[in-house]
Amino acid sequence: MNEIYVNKLIKMINSRTVFKIEGSNAEEYKKFNEVLSENFPLLHQKANKLIFGSGCIVYELKGKNAKRNIMLMSHHDVVDKTDGWVTDPFNAVIKDGYLYGRGTIDTKTPLFGELQAIEEILNEDTLLDNINLYIGSSNNEEVSGDGMVEAVKYFKKHNIHFDIILDEGGAIMQGMIPGYNGKSAMVAVHEKSRHIYECVTTRKTKGHGGLVSDDDSPLERMSEFINRVNHTKIYKNKFYPEVKATFSSHVPYMKYPMKLVFKYLDVFSPIVKKIMANMPAAKAMLNTSVIFTTFNAGDENNPQIRAKDARCHMFIRCIREEDLEEGLLKIKEIAKKYDVEINLVERDYCRPTDFNSDEFRLIKKVLNKNFKDIVVAPFLLTAGTDARRFSDIADNIFRFAPIDLNNEQFKSIHGDNECIKVENIEECVRFYKDYIIALNKEV
């Protein structure tokens, strides 16, 4: 056990960086920033530290002959305590070879690994002349905050384009793939996008509510519209390239009959899709989802008055934007029948990254060097990360943290008893260190 690493990480975890919109937790964030300054002095001496929004941090290290911009990311805000903890989540302790504390997985250990790696590289006088290296850490990722949004505005303004972004998302897990019981390093090369639409319908006739036809009810029309969309097959399940690649990467190591099924996935895809459709987490990798998240109509303070209009929000998560548009045409046709107008509120599309690229091969090479007997595979992330904000200004976006998780640890993310293997802390530092050095060489 590397006690220096563990003690630094404990100090980071013991700062209760739970983001509060009203800023009531500012002292804990101040404490966290002081921990960073004290424990990574060379970085703070040699890097340009940028602050965006209410506390998003970006360290900038310029290379003399830099040809590429690289960003490593891990947010430092965490979700608050849940009810079933056996330890204090903000007083990290070691128990049975694991370090327990909120943020050990999501994502203070990866952030520590990145910061410690660059601190050691600077201490060793290893020259990073060929890259401009950025370390980014949002203070409000867990609430889909504006930290990295503001950072991206800055980068766009200064025409800074990134060759590679590496954020959280995937990890090393065992038994993830049917027919293969070994460990897989799941490197997400794409994540489902987020689009929000407001749906509005109003009364067709104006005037006193008592004089309006009983058939002219915005509330009923909106309810019927939502019901119709929910019971219409808007989007078909598909095997997207990233999902196919997840399985094909494991085929050489699978046992029969799964080896046969996934080797000839095009033949067996109807059966596999049916099986995956009954598993929520697997189904999310196959389709674009439509969810109605809000519904507002009428005046709750005066329930005798009929609603003049009805509004709801429709949340669509797509894998490919062309699929989104195709489905929207179907939804808009349904909307016409109920006099519902659909307006875009937020577009948040993230482009997929080429998993056949040299950049993916490099991260695979470093992973295979640092973690023995793993299969490195691209995959589709169905959750969300700050990295999606960079889609317009980055060529390659990868989502992976070198954390070796078992099922209990995976369940602890945003839940009870979040913890990391003590030995994995040092592995994280070593991975990021090797990756940064490799990026500097591969120009």
Side-chain angles (χ1 to χ4, degrees):
M1 180 177 76
N2 189 314
E3 291 186 5
I4 294 175
Y5 288 180
V6 173
N7 289 334
K8 285 186 178 184
L9 179 55
I10 284 175
K11 291 176 183 177
M12 292 171 65
I13 291 165
N14 289 353
S15 299
R16 192 172 185 148
T17 50
V18 178
F19 184 75
K20 306 288 186 182
I21 295 174
E22 72 280 4
S24 62
N25 205 25
E27 282 302 313
E28 289 294 326
Y29 276 93
K30 180 182 177 182
K31 173 183 168 184
F32 180 80
N33 276 274
E34 289 172 352
V35 167
L36 297 188
S37 298
E38 291 168 5
N39 287 278
F40 309 102
L42 278 177
L43 175 63
H44 284 80
Q45 176 187 331
K46 297 188 177 184
N48 181 26
K49 185 178 180 180
L50 307 170
I51 303 293
F52 300 99
S54 58
C56 175
I57 304 166
V58 176
Y59 296 100
E60 178 186 55
L61 282 162
K62 292 277 192 176
K64 290 181 181 179
N65 306 309
K67 297 179 177 62
R68 300 192 295 173
N69 297 314
I70 308 296
M71 170 84 85
L72 306 183
M73 295 167 57
S74 288
H75 62 88
H76 59 273
D77 64 316
V78 297
V79 299
D80 212 340
K81 178 181 179 178
T82 43
D83 294 333
W85 278 79
V86 296
T87 65
D88 181 346
F90 299 103
N91 185 17
V93 295
I94 295 174
K95 182 181 176 183
D96 299 326
Y98 288 81
L99 178 66
Y100 284 78
R102 179 63 86 206
T104 45
I105 299 173
D106 189 15
T107 57
K108 286 183 178 177
T109 298
L111 177 59
F112 163 75
E114 294 163 2
L115 297 176
Q116 183 63 30
I118 191 61
E119 185 76 9
E120 292 181 12
I121 289 171
L122 293 173
N123 186 57
E124 294 162 5
D125 288 328
T126 301
L127 298 178
L128 299 178
D129 286 348
N130 297 322
I131 58 174
N132 294 320
L133 180 64
Y134 297 79
I135 308 288
S137 184
S138 172
N139 64 316
N140 54 12
E141 188 271 352
E142 294 290 5
V143 295
S144 295
D146 65 347
M148 278 301 166
V149 174
E150 294 302 316
V152 168
K153 289 179 183 177
Y154 169 86
F155 294 130
K156 286 183 176 180
K157 180 180 178 181
H158 291 84
N159 296 315
I160 297 173
H161 190 91
F162 291 91
D163 289 78
I164 295 174
I165 301 282
L166 176 60
D167 196 4
E168 60 156 334
I172 299 171
M173 293 194 67
Q174 187 165 0
M176 290 286 291
I177 304 298
Y180 174 70
N181 197 40
K183 291 186 177 182
S184 305
M186 307 294 283
V187 181
V189 293
H190 189 28
E191 67 179 78
K192 293 187 79 168
S193 302
R194 302 157 180 237
H195 302 263
I196 301 172
Y197 296 85
E198 185 182 42
C199 307
V200 182
T201 186
T202 60
R203 282 205 316 233
K204 298 176 184 178
T205 54
K206 296 181 180 180
H208 191 281
L211 302 177
V212 176
S213 167
D214 289 343
D215 295 333
D216 188 4
S217 170
L219 190 152
E220 289 182 15
R221 286 204 306 277
M222 186 63 78
S223 298
E224 290 171 359
F225 162 71
I226 293 173
N227 185 61
R228 180 74 178 275
V229 171
N230 283 338
H231 288 85
T232 301
K233 187 70 173 177
I234 303 295
Y235 295 101
K236 296 179 180 179
N237 291 336
K238 295 182 180 179
F239 270 114
Y240 291 87
E242 301 82 15
V243 181
K244 284 186 176 181
T246 299
F247 295 119
S248 63
S249 298
H250 288 84
V251 165
Y253 314 98
M254 287 180 177
K255 295 179 180 178
Y256 285 97
M258 292 296 107
K259 187 183 185 80
L260 184 65
V261 169
F262 288 106
K263 184 176 181 179
Y264 300 102
L265 184 57
D266 289 342
V267 175
F268 292 101
S269 63
I271 298 171
V272 177
K273 279 192 288 188
K274 283 184 179 180
I275 295 171
M276 292 178 68
N278 292 317
M279 305 162 64
K283 182 181 178 182
M285 295 189 292
L286 298 178
N287 70 356
T288 295
S289 59
V290 182
I291 303 171
F292 292 95
T293 56
T294 69
F295 192 121
N296 296 290
D299 182 357
E300 64 179 11
N301 295 316
N302 196 347
Q304 299 181 58
I305 303 299
R306 297 174 65 185
K308 294 181 180 179
D309 59 34
R311 299 169 183 269
C312 72
H313 281 99
M314 180 172 62
F315 183 41
I316 300 181
R317 300 205 63 198
C318 72
I319 299 171
R320 291 291 190 274
E321 199 158 57
E322 55 267 29
D323 293 337
L324 170 75
E325 296 301 327
E326 184 180 332
L328 267 179
L329 290 176
K330 297 179 185 178
I331 293 172
K332 288 178 178 178
E333 284 300 313
I334 296 172
K336 286 180 184 178
K337 297 178 182 179
Y338 300 100
D339 294 301
V340 172
E341 182 180 322
I342 298 176
N343 301 305
L344 177 65
V345 175
E346 181 179 334
R347 174 189 179 275
D348 193 357
Y349 180 68
C350 187
R351 289 181 295 101
T353 292
D354 182 7
F355 50 84
N356 292 310
S357 65
D358 290 338
E359 288 77 11
F360 186 84
R361 281 189 281 272
L362 179 63
I363 196 170
K364 180 179 179 180
K365 178 181 177 182
V366 176
L367 276 166
N368 283 325
K369 174 186 174 184
N370 281 272
F371 299 92
K372 304 303 179 184
D373 300 320
I374 62 167
V375 175
V376 181
F379 89 110
L380 168 70
L381 184 68
T382 56
T385 70
D386 267 336
R388 73 183 189 276
R389 314 292 192 183
F390 288 79
S391 192
D392 293 336
I393 59 169
D395 294 330
N396 302 276
I397 300 177
F398 302 117
R399 302 155 189 86
F400 174 82
I403 299 180
D404 190 352
L405 300 178
N406 58 36
N407 287 332
E408 290 304 311
Q409 287 174 284
F410 182 74
K411 293 174 184 177
S412 75
I413 300 172
H414 288 201
D416 301 329
N417 305 316
E418 186 179 347
C419 62
I420 187 167
K421 297 173 191 172
V422 172
E423 64 190 50
N424 195 200
I425 299 169
E426 189 167 356
E427 291 173 336
C428 285
V429 176
R430 189 166 61 243
F431 166 79
Y432 285 118
K433 193 172 179 180
D434 285 350
Y435 187 50
I436 292 168
I437 292 171
L439 286 167
N440 186 60
K441 289 180 179 178
E442 297 284 330
V443 293

